[in-house]
Amino acid sequence: MSQQEAKNELNKRTARNIIIRRGDYKGFLLYQETIFKHHYKKPLRATWWDSIIAIALMDIFWGVHDRLIIEMPPRHGKTERGVRMFASYGQGLDSIINFQYATYGDDLSTLTSSETKEIMESSTYKELFPNVDFSNKLNTKNHWKLSRGGGFLGTSVGGSSTGMGAEIHICDDLIKAIEASSKTVRDKAWDFYNSSVLTRLEGRKAVIIIMQRLHEDDPVGRALKENGLIADGGAWEKLTFPIVNSFEQFEQFYKWVKSKNIDINKNISDDEIKKIELLCDNDYELAQKEYDELYKPKAYQDFLLKQKYLVKYKKVAFYKFAREIFLEKYPFEADVISYKEHTVTREPLTTLDDGEYGLDFVVNQREQMSLSEFKKQYFQDAEVSESGFFDKNDFTYVADIEIPEQYEYILVDNAESQSASADDRGIVVVGKSELSDGVVKSIVMDGKYGKWDVYGTCENIMNLMIKFPKAQVLIEGAMGGITLGTVLKKEVLVYNNKAQVSSKPLITNSISVFKPTNQVSKNSIIGLMVAPLEQHLLHFYKFVDSAFLEQLMKEFLKFNPEKKHNTDNCIDPLARTFFLPQCTPKPFQKPKVVELKSHHQRRHSIRTWRGI
């Protein structure tokens, strides 16, 4: 580098540093870009909504507002911008400010806190803010003090924030998505907000809540119910970013584009299909050239990587061009997103991050998630479904001809007591198989329900083991599970000794006792079945034991996640098959291609006595 070039580079850095230290939203955006480029060693994926988030966060920093809600789908960078970038930038501008940050779990809190600290320890940060030094008295991964008096504390719901105040408290996903249906969990998060967030505020006394909506009664729902929006005379400024402009707009596109696979002549003409495919093919060729220039594959493994890249690219391209054809047919107007005097235009059917989470991703999520969860997490629509938690219209039944090759599992609901007067017990047999698109199909094949002692339970399990000889038996090692597993193995040995003498088939099913989990509630695990039911990926065999099926349906339709105690002896073991890592589906296998031969070919491929 020549002397003049070095001087120009120094001037650029000086100008950049001046803009960043200015402390407005443009400085914050440039700060993020700089950290990504020089610390993360990758470009920042800038989005159309970055400026809105930046202005709102800097308004909190400078005291324009003291309450801010940011609603956004998962994995879209809200923690990156709202915690790592904002907290580190804020302490660079004002090293006497105290931040607190809280999320649902200790591990996540520690990870995010340490990543924020790593930014502040980087050479890039020290060039931008040379006067920021860490104190020797307190300097850990999730709790540090600065030499000028500021600091940062990362904690979690249920964790302690004693001994440190906060000018800005950032609440980032105070509840897990899988636990949102539990009123106990929501109450715990809200109690934390009232007792550990509000009581620690000082100075600016500001609170930021960042999350995807999970329930109408989640922390955002309660905060708005308690204090309301600024626009309505309340306390909260709220930014809401659905993954696509609106659910209604996306749903119309989704049904239109998916109809190609159902009825070509229904909504999409042949000419439109050809146009989409032609555009994809042309763009695909450009993608191949682009990949070759970027990655220059030289070996076979590079070739495989290229194929994976191009398959993904073609899917992205299909939806990109399908969007263009759709908007020619249905010309929606663009949305104008405003925050104060700042406005941004959002074109129809625009995602939040086309580079990483485009329409192909949104369509895939729509296909695999329950509609209610999809609307909540991706469109921030937390309204309660009128049909209840499980809808009886979602239950589907299959006959023998519709059952694929599958792995089968027998799961047992353990009673707390081993006597016959204990709670009802449920045993369920479930088959799991993978479809061609990677989605898992589950079928309830059979089950038993009743009051039995431990030996009666073993007898019913063994009857199902004989009926489903390849099914793996899984018993939770809680309550009487360990005892049940021990007795069952003994009873199988006794049965096999007698069966061997009388030349009857032996029981060869594997029996496993698995460790129970205390991290996820039973109601949350049962909630995992909503999406498979809605998407018709959980079916019921037509010839399931009638008493068991009747009880199963009753438990489904009466289930209420707000209750601590539900009748779930049958649906609980069924739900475990959607949670346990042991319950894997049978992998999809492409059908073998059979080469059709002519009569002449077949005739001459068969050896006969004349050819000897």
mmCIF file of all heavy atoms in Angstrom, residues 99-125:
data_model
loop_
_atom_site.group_PDB
_atom_site.id
_atom_site.type_symbol
_atom_site.label_atom_id
_atom_site.label_comp_id
_atom_site.label_asym_id
_atom_site.label_seq_id
_atom_site.Cartn_x
_atom_site.Cartn_y
_atom_site.Cartn_z
ATOM 1 N N PHE A 99 -26.780 -1.848 31.617
ATOM 2 C CA PHE A 99 -27.755 -2.661 30.902
ATOM 3 C C PHE A 99 -28.043 -3.928 31.700
ATOM 4 O O PHE A 99 -27.143 -4.486 32.343
ATOM 5 C CB PHE A 99 -27.211 -3.092 29.531
ATOM 6 C CG PHE A 99 -27.311 -2.059 28.451
ATOM 7 C CD1 PHE A 99 -26.282 -1.146 28.253
ATOM 8 C CD2 PHE A 99 -28.426 -1.999 27.617
ATOM 9 C CE1 PHE A 99 -26.354 -0.203 27.250
ATOM 10 C CE2 PHE A 99 -28.501 -1.056 26.614
ATOM 11 C CZ PHE A 99 -27.469 -0.155 26.427
ATOM 12 N N GLN A 100 -29.271 -4.374 31.637
ATOM 13 C CA GLN A 100 -29.590 -5.730 32.059
ATOM 14 C C GLN A 100 -30.302 -6.429 30.903
ATOM 15 O O GLN A 100 -31.039 -5.792 30.138
ATOM 16 C CB GLN A 100 -30.455 -5.761 33.318
ATOM 17 C CG GLN A 100 -29.678 -5.486 34.593
ATOM 18 C CD GLN A 100 -30.454 -5.836 35.855
ATOM 19 O OE1 GLN A 100 -31.359 -6.656 35.842
ATOM 20 N NE2 GLN A 100 -30.091 -5.190 36.954
ATOM 21 N N TYR A 101 -30.053 -7.721 30.804
ATOM 22 C CA TYR A 101 -30.630 -8.518 29.716
ATOM 23 C C TYR A 101 -31.153 -9.821 30.298
ATOM 24 O O TYR A 101 -30.478 -10.458 31.119
ATOM 25 C CB TYR A 101 -29.547 -8.792 28.665
ATOM 26 C CG TYR A 101 -29.773 -10.037 27.836
ATOM 27 C CD1 TYR A 101 -30.789 -10.098 26.879
ATOM 28 C CD2 TYR A 101 -28.959 -11.161 28.005
ATOM 29 C CE1 TYR A 101 -30.974 -11.245 26.129
ATOM 30 C CE2 TYR A 101 -29.138 -12.297 27.249
ATOM 31 C CZ TYR A 101 -30.150 -12.343 26.317
ATOM 32 O OH TYR A 101 -30.350 -13.481 25.574
ATOM 33 N N ALA A 102 -32.353 -10.216 29.913
ATOM 34 C CA ALA A 102 -32.932 -11.453 30.442
ATOM 35 C C ALA A 102 -33.609 -12.231 29.327
ATOM 36 O O ALA A 102 -34.204 -11.652 28.408
ATOM 37 C CB ALA A 102 -33.944 -11.132 31.542
ATOM 38 N N THR A 103 -33.501 -13.551 29.421
ATOM 39 C CA THR A 103 -34.204 -14.439 28.506
ATOM 40 C C THR A 103 -34.726 -15.624 29.311
ATOM 41 O O THR A 103 -34.637 -15.633 30.539
ATOM 42 C CB THR A 103 -33.288 -14.873 27.352
ATOM 43 O OG1 THR A 103 -34.037 -15.619 26.403
ATOM 44 C CG2 THR A 103 -32.116 -15.705 27.848
ATOM 45 N N TYR A 104 -35.261 -16.650 28.622
ATOM 46 C CA TYR A 104 -35.937 -17.730 29.349
ATOM 47 C C TYR A 104 -35.000 -18.701 30.052
ATOM 48 O O TYR A 104 -35.401 -19.379 30.982
ATOM 49 C CB TYR A 104 -36.869 -18.510 28.420
ATOM 50 C CG TYR A 104 -36.201 -19.137 27.219
ATOM 51 C CD1 TYR A 104 -35.424 -20.286 27.334
ATOM 52 C CD2 TYR A 104 -36.360 -18.581 25.946
ATOM 53 C CE1 TYR A 104 -34.818 -20.855 26.225
ATOM 54 C CE2 TYR A 104 -35.762 -19.152 24.835
ATOM 55 C CZ TYR A 104 -34.991 -20.287 24.986
ATOM 56 O OH TYR A 104 -34.391 -20.861 23.893
ATOM 57 N N GLY A 105 -33.732 -18.812 29.628
ATOM 58 C CA GLY A 105 -32.851 -19.813 30.219
ATOM 59 C C GLY A 105 -31.457 -19.304 30.485
ATOM 60 O O GLY A 105 -30.955 -18.400 29.798
ATOM 61 N N ASP A 106 -30.795 -19.891 31.479
ATOM 62 C CA ASP A 106 -29.448 -19.467 31.871
ATOM 63 C C ASP A 106 -28.428 -19.661 30.748
ATOM 64 O O ASP A 106 -27.567 -18.808 30.526
ATOM 65 C CB ASP A 106 -28.985 -20.251 33.105
ATOM 66 C CG ASP A 106 -29.740 -19.842 34.361
ATOM 67 O OD1 ASP A 106 -30.202 -18.689 34.414
ATOM 68 O OD2 ASP A 106 -29.863 -20.669 35.273
ATOM 69 N N ASP A 107 -28.506 -20.813 30.063
ATOM 70 C CA ASP A 107 -27.510 -21.104 29.018
ATOM 71 C C ASP A 107 -27.570 -20.074 27.898
ATOM 72 O O ASP A 107 -26.529 -19.582 27.436
ATOM 73 C CB ASP A 107 -27.734 -22.509 28.453
ATOM 74 C CG ASP A 107 -27.396 -23.595 29.461
ATOM 75 O OD1 ASP A 107 -26.712 -23.281 30.446
ATOM 76 O OD2 ASP A 107 -27.827 -24.755 29.262
ATOM 77 N N LEU A 108 -28.776 -19.766 27.442
ATOM 78 C CA LEU A 108 -28.927 -18.785 26.364
ATOM 79 C C LEU A 108 -28.495 -17.404 26.831
ATOM 80 O O LEU A 108 -27.856 -16.650 26.085
ATOM 81 C CB LEU A 108 -30.380 -18.753 25.877
ATOM 82 C CG LEU A 108 -30.690 -17.790 24.734
ATOM 83 C CD1 LEU A 108 -29.839 -18.102 23.508
ATOM 84 C CD2 LEU A 108 -32.179 -17.833 24.386
ATOM 85 N N SER A 109 -28.821 -17.064 28.058
ATOM 86 C CA SER A 109 -28.429 -15.758 28.606
ATOM 87 C C SER A 109 -26.904 -15.622 28.645
ATOM 88 O O SER A 109 -26.350 -14.596 28.240
ATOM 89 C CB SER A 109 -29.001 -15.596 30.015
ATOM 90 O OG SER A 109 -28.528 -14.405 30.607
ATOM 91 N N THR A 110 -26.237 -16.668 29.126
ATOM 92 C CA THR A 110 -24.771 -16.642 29.208
ATOM 93 C C THR A 110 -24.142 -16.547 27.820
ATOM 94 O O THR A 110 -23.182 -15.798 27.598
ATOM 95 C CB THR A 110 -24.249 -17.896 29.933
ATOM 96 O OG1 THR A 110 -24.793 -17.922 31.259
ATOM 97 C CG2 THR A 110 -22.729 -17.887 30.006
ATOM 98 N N LEU A 111 -24.686 -17.306 26.860
ATOM 99 C CA LEU A 111 -24.151 -17.295 25.498
ATOM 100 C C LEU A 111 -24.272 -15.911 24.873
ATOM 101 O O LEU A 111 -23.291 -15.372 24.329
ATOM 102 C CB LEU A 111 -24.879 -18.330 24.643
ATOM 103 C CG LEU A 111 -24.477 -18.383 23.164
ATOM 104 C CD1 LEU A 111 -23.012 -18.781 23.019
ATOM 105 C CD2 LEU A 111 -25.381 -19.338 22.391
ATOM 106 N N THR A 112 -25.449 -15.315 24.942
ATOM 107 C CA THR A 112 -25.658 -13.999 24.329
ATOM 108 C C THR A 112 -24.817 -12.936 25.029
ATOM 109 O O THR A 112 -24.241 -12.053 24.387
ATOM 110 C CB THR A 112 -27.141 -13.613 24.375
ATOM 111 O OG1 THR A 112 -27.910 -14.626 23.714
ATOM 112 C CG2 THR A 112 -27.392 -12.280 23.690
ATOM 113 N N SER A 113 -24.740 -13.017 26.343
ATOM 114 C CA SER A 113 -23.934 -12.048 27.101
ATOM 115 C C SER A 113 -22.460 -12.147 26.715
ATOM 116 O O SER A 113 -21.796 -11.125 26.484
ATOM 117 C CB SER A 113 -24.094 -12.290 28.602
ATOM 118 O OG SER A 113 -25.445 -12.159 29.001
ATOM 119 N N SER A 114 -21.951 -13.370 26.645
ATOM 120 C CA SER A 114 -20.535 -13.550 26.318
ATOM 121 C C SER A 114 -20.227 -13.090 24.903
ATOM 122 O O SER A 114 -19.138 -12.546 24.637
ATOM 123 C CB SER A 114 -20.130 -15.015 26.502
ATOM 124 O OG SER A 114 -20.838 -15.859 25.612
ATOM 125 N N GLU A 115 -21.169 -13.281 23.978
ATOM 126 C CA GLU A 115 -20.970 -12.816 22.604
ATOM 127 C C GLU A 115 -20.973 -11.291 22.537
ATOM 128 O O GLU A 115 -20.242 -10.693 21.732
ATOM 129 C CB GLU A 115 -22.050 -13.404 21.697
ATOM 130 C CG GLU A 115 -21.865 -14.901 21.458
ATOM 131 C CD GLU A 115 -23.030 -15.543 20.750
ATOM 132 O OE1 GLU A 115 -24.139 -14.940 20.737
ATOM 133 O OE2 GLU A 115 -22.870 -16.647 20.214
ATOM 134 N N THR A 116 -21.780 -10.660 23.378
ATOM 135 C CA THR A 116 -21.769 -9.193 23.463
ATOM 136 C C THR A 116 -20.423 -8.710 23.989
ATOM 137 O O THR A 116 -19.839 -7.746 23.487
ATOM 138 C CB THR A 116 -22.906 -8.709 24.390
ATOM 139 O OG1 THR A 116 -24.150 -9.221 23.927
ATOM 140 C CG2 THR A 116 -22.967 -7.185 24.426
ATOM 141 N N LYS A 117 -19.921 -9.414 24.983
ATOM 142 C CA LYS A 117 -18.631 -9.048 25.585
ATOM 143 C C LYS A 117 -17.483 -9.247 24.586
ATOM 144 O O LYS A 117 -16.537 -8.442 24.541
ATOM 145 C CB LYS A 117 -18.393 -9.884 26.840
ATOM 146 C CG LYS A 117 -17.193 -9.462 27.670
ATOM 147 C CD LYS A 117 -17.237 -10.165 29.023
ATOM 148 C CE LYS A 117 -16.094 -9.700 29.912
ATOM 149 N NZ LYS A 117 -14.822 -10.310 29.532
ATOM 150 N N GLU A 118 -17.560 -10.298 23.782
ATOM 151 C CA GLU A 118 -16.534 -10.541 22.777
ATOM 152 C C GLU A 118 -16.438 -9.391 21.777
ATOM 153 O O GLU A 118 -15.347 -9.028 21.329
ATOM 154 C CB GLU A 118 -16.825 -11.842 22.034
ATOM 155 C CG GLU A 118 -16.491 -13.097 22.835
ATOM 156 C CD GLU A 118 -16.909 -14.364 22.114
ATOM 157 O OE1 GLU A 118 -17.305 -14.259 20.931
ATOM 158 O OE2 GLU A 118 -16.870 -15.444 22.727
ATOM 159 N N ILE A 119 -17.581 -8.821 21.424
ATOM 160 C CA ILE A 119 -17.573 -7.657 20.535
ATOM 161 C C ILE A 119 -16.805 -6.517 21.186
ATOM 162 O O ILE A 119 -15.949 -5.874 20.568
ATOM 163 C CB ILE A 119 -19.014 -7.218 20.207
ATOM 164 C CG1 ILE A 119 -19.728 -8.273 19.360
ATOM 165 C CG2 ILE A 119 -19.012 -5.873 19.468
ATOM 166 C CD1 ILE A 119 -21.203 -7.994 19.137
ATOM 167 N N MET A 120 -17.101 -6.282 22.479
ATOM 168 C CA MET A 120 -16.483 -5.160 23.179
ATOM 169 C C MET A 120 -14.996 -5.377 23.451
ATOM 170 O O MET A 120 -14.255 -4.415 23.708
ATOM 171 C CB MET A 120 -17.233 -4.900 24.490
ATOM 172 C CG MET A 120 -18.691 -4.488 24.282
ATOM 173 S SD MET A 120 -19.603 -4.257 25.821
ATOM 174 C CE MET A 120 -18.758 -2.832 26.504
ATOM 175 N N GLU A 121 -14.547 -6.624 23.393
ATOM 176 C CA GLU A 121 -13.128 -6.921 23.603
ATOM 177 C C GLU A 121 -12.343 -6.950 22.297
ATOM 178 O O GLU A 121 -11.115 -7.069 22.315
ATOM 179 C CB GLU A 121 -12.991 -8.284 24.295
ATOM 180 C CG GLU A 121 -13.465 -8.287 25.739
ATOM 181 C CD GLU A 121 -13.456 -9.680 26.356
ATOM 182 O OE1 GLU A 121 -13.629 -10.667 25.585
ATOM 183 O OE2 GLU A 121 -13.278 -9.786 27.575
ATOM 184 N N SER A 122 -13.043 -6.842 21.168
ATOM 185 C CA SER A 122 -12.382 -6.948 19.864
ATOM 186 C C SER A 122 -11.562 -5.701 19.545
ATOM 187 O O SER A 122 -11.817 -4.604 20.060
ATOM 188 C CB SER A 122 -13.428 -7.175 18.762
ATOM 189 O OG SER A 122 -14.219 -6.017 18.567
ATOM 190 N N SER A 123 -10.584 -5.867 18.667
ATOM 191 C CA SER A 123 -9.745 -4.741 18.258
ATOM 192 C C SER A 123 -10.554 -3.698 17.489
ATOM 193 O O SER A 123 -10.279 -2.493 17.576
ATOM 194 C CB SER A 123 -8.589 -5.253 17.392
ATOM 195 O OG SER A 123 -9.078 -5.934 16.242
ATOM 196 N N THR A 124 -11.565 -4.167 16.747
ATOM 197 C CA THR A 124 -12.430 -3.241 16.003
ATOM 198 C C THR A 124 -13.159 -2.304 16.959
ATOM 199 O O THR A 124 -13.216 -1.088 16.759
ATOM 200 C CB THR A 124 -13.455 -4.031 15.164
ATOM 201 O OG1 THR A 124 -12.763 -4.898 14.276
ATOM 202 C CG2 THR A 124 -14.344 -3.085 14.368
ATOM 203 N N TYR A 125 -13.727 -2.885 18.031
ATOM 204 C CA TYR A 125 -14.464 -2.085 19.008
ATOM 205 C C TYR A 125 -13.539 -1.097 19.724
ATOM 206 O O TYR A 125 -13.908 0.060 19.947
ATOM 207 C CB TYR A 125 -15.122 -3.014 20.021
ATOM 208 C CG TYR A 125 -16.075 -2.323 20.985
ATOM 209 C CD1 TYR A 125 -17.409 -2.123 20.647
ATOM 210 C CD2 TYR A 125 -15.635 -1.875 22.230
ATOM 211 C CE1 TYR A 125 -18.278 -1.501 21.537
ATOM 212 C CE2 TYR A 125 -16.489 -1.246 23.121
ATOM 213 C CZ TYR A 125 -17.817 -1.064 22.764
ATOM 214 O OH TYR A 125 -18.682 -0.441 23.636
#
